[in-house]
Amino acid sequence: MKSIPGLSACIITLNEQENLPECLQSLTLAQEIVVVDSGSTDDTRKIARDAGARIFRREFDNYIDQKNFAIEKARGPWILFLDADERIGPELDVEIRALFQKPHSLKSDRGGSSKGKKQFRASLATLEDQPVGYEIPRSTFYLGRWIRHSGWYPDYTVRLFRKGSGRYEGRTFHEKVKLRGLSGKLRGAILHFSYKNIREHLDVINRYSDLFAAERISMGKGNGVLFSLGKAVVKFLTMYIWKLGLLDGRAGLVIAVLGSYYNFLKYIKVWELRAASNRSPEARMDAPRVPEKSTRGGSARSEAAAPGKHP
């Protein structure tokens, strides 16, 4: 099928050779694909290059700046943002194509050739009473099934928006597109193939809880152990009962348990960091020291651990 004039798809990557091929194959509706890679050591860039994508190398600092960099590099007036483990579902593909075929005029920020103006006229409207961005539901495949509840669906998020009317903002790892104008909603879903297994899910939980705790401490915030436990209990009840996770079967139970664990972990790490920063210098000096590596390949014992003895 033909691509949509003026639509740029953006993806950020790091070692995504397993996910990227199917992601790119689902983007036949995009006139161009922009891939911003942060130093992949696998075949990610080759896969993107073979698919005709425009590839940019940028050292990763945070998700917000990385995604906004991709938006800046896009040539089209409309942006469609995907993660490498996502696909454009068939229904969403049809819906977006139909949206761009509506007979509206498109205001351009710049002048251009007659060909460019025709492409603009073929694109979505940006009249004052028209949306400048669209929220799209996301359907996640987890533990062998599509999740329809648990707070994971419909999981609406802005992914299609006019360049210049939307940018990523927010916290370090929960970035969202902020629109300057009206938003609409689409019904077709982005298909999300998230965690391959529970181990990978736990790895992400551990990494994100570290980021959350560091950010909260940098904001001067803290909390106690009971607060952390309360957050975990509320999260489980919300996901499994209120968000109907019980209708997602065993997968729904796992999602609720791990969601609860994530809430406990991120707040208990805040407590740990705050407690460590409040200790007196004397208390920190009395803390057990990590054994140093011996020149003979073993672990050297400190005098505190074994008085009078040396390796």
Side-chain angles (χ1 to χ4, degrees), residues 3-11 24 27-35 53-54 56 67 69-82 88 96 100 119-120 123-124 159-163 168:
S3 61
I4 299 172
L7 179 62
S8 297
C10 296
I11 310 167
L24 295 172
L27 287 170
T28 57
L29 74 174
Q31 186 177 40
E32 75 161 352
I33 299 175
V34 174
V35 172
R54 297 173 59 224
F56 298 90
K67 290 185 175 182
F69 178 82
I71 293 170
E72 291 168 5
K73 294 300 180 183
R75 293 169 175 164
W78 281 82
I79 305 295
L80 176 62
F81 222 110
L82 280 190
I88 296 296
I96 292 176
F100 273 78
Q119 290 178 343
F120 281 142
S123 301
L124 281 172
R159 295 298 190 89
L160 175 64
F161 54 95
R162 177 173 167 78
K163 184 177 181 179
Y168 277 93

Side-chain angles (χ1 to χ4, degrees), residues 157-224:
T157 181
V158 175
R159 295 298 190 89
L160 175 64
F161 54 95
R162 177 173 167 78
K163 184 177 181 179
S165 295
R167 283 180 63 83
Y168 277 93
E169 296 182 6
R171 295 189 297 167
T172 305
F173 55 97
H174 282 308
E175 70 288 348
K176 292 183 179 180
V177 174
K178 184 174 182 179
L179 295 176
R180 292 190 292 108
L182 298 176
S183 66
K185 279 190 176 182
L186 302 182
R187 299 182 65 180
I190 291 172
L191 307 181
H192 183 211
F193 296 85
S194 57
Y195 313 108
K196 297 182 180 66
N197 48 52
I198 292 175
R199 180 188 182 89
E200 185 176 297
H201 193 169
L202 288 170
D203 287 342
V204 172
I205 284 174
N206 198 41
R207 185 168 70 252
Y208 272 43
S209 59
D210 282 345
L211 293 172
F212 176 89
E215 183 175 67
R216 195 167 173 85
I217 289 295
S218 70
M219 296 167 63
K221 296 183 178 180
N223 54 255

Side-chain angles (χ1 to χ4, degrees), residues 88-117:
I88 296 296
E91 296 84 0
L92 180 58
D93 184 286
V94 171
E95 190 173 8
I96 292 176
R97 290 179 186 277
L99 197 62
F100 273 78
Q101 289 173 359
K102 289 183 178 180
H104 294 299
S105 61
L106 182 65
K107 292 180 181 179
S108 170
D109 293 332
R110 303 176 183 176
S113 64
S114 58
K115 181 179 179 181
K117 291 177 180 178

Side-chain angles (χ1 to χ4, degrees), residues 238-264:
T238 299
M239 298 183 79
Y240 197 64
I241 305 299
W242 181 250
K243 297 294 185 179
L244 300 178
L246 56 97
L247 298 182
D248 284 320
R250 293 185 179 92
L253 179 60
V254 172
I255 289 170
V257 169
L258 293 185
S260 172
Y261 172 65
Y262 171 55
N263 251 27
F264 177 76

Side-chain angles (χ1 to χ4, degrees), residues 11 13-26 42 44 47 83-87 192-196 200:
I11 310 167
T13 59
L14 175 64
N15 295 330
E16 291 286 0
Q17 67 176 15
E18 293 184 15
N19 289 316
L20 193 58
E22 290 188 38
C23 177
L24 295 172
Q25 289 168 16
S26 75
D42 61 6
T44 294
I47 292 168
D83 291 337
D85 61 357
E86 296 174 336
R87 323 276 185 265
H192 183 211
F193 296 85
S194 57
Y195 313 108
K196 297 182 180 66
E200 185 176 297

Side-chain angles (χ1 to χ4, degrees), residues 284-292 300 302-305:
R284 288 197 291 270
M285 289 178 64
D286 291 339
R289 287 178 287 177
V290 177
E292 298 177 358
S302 67
E303 291 187 7

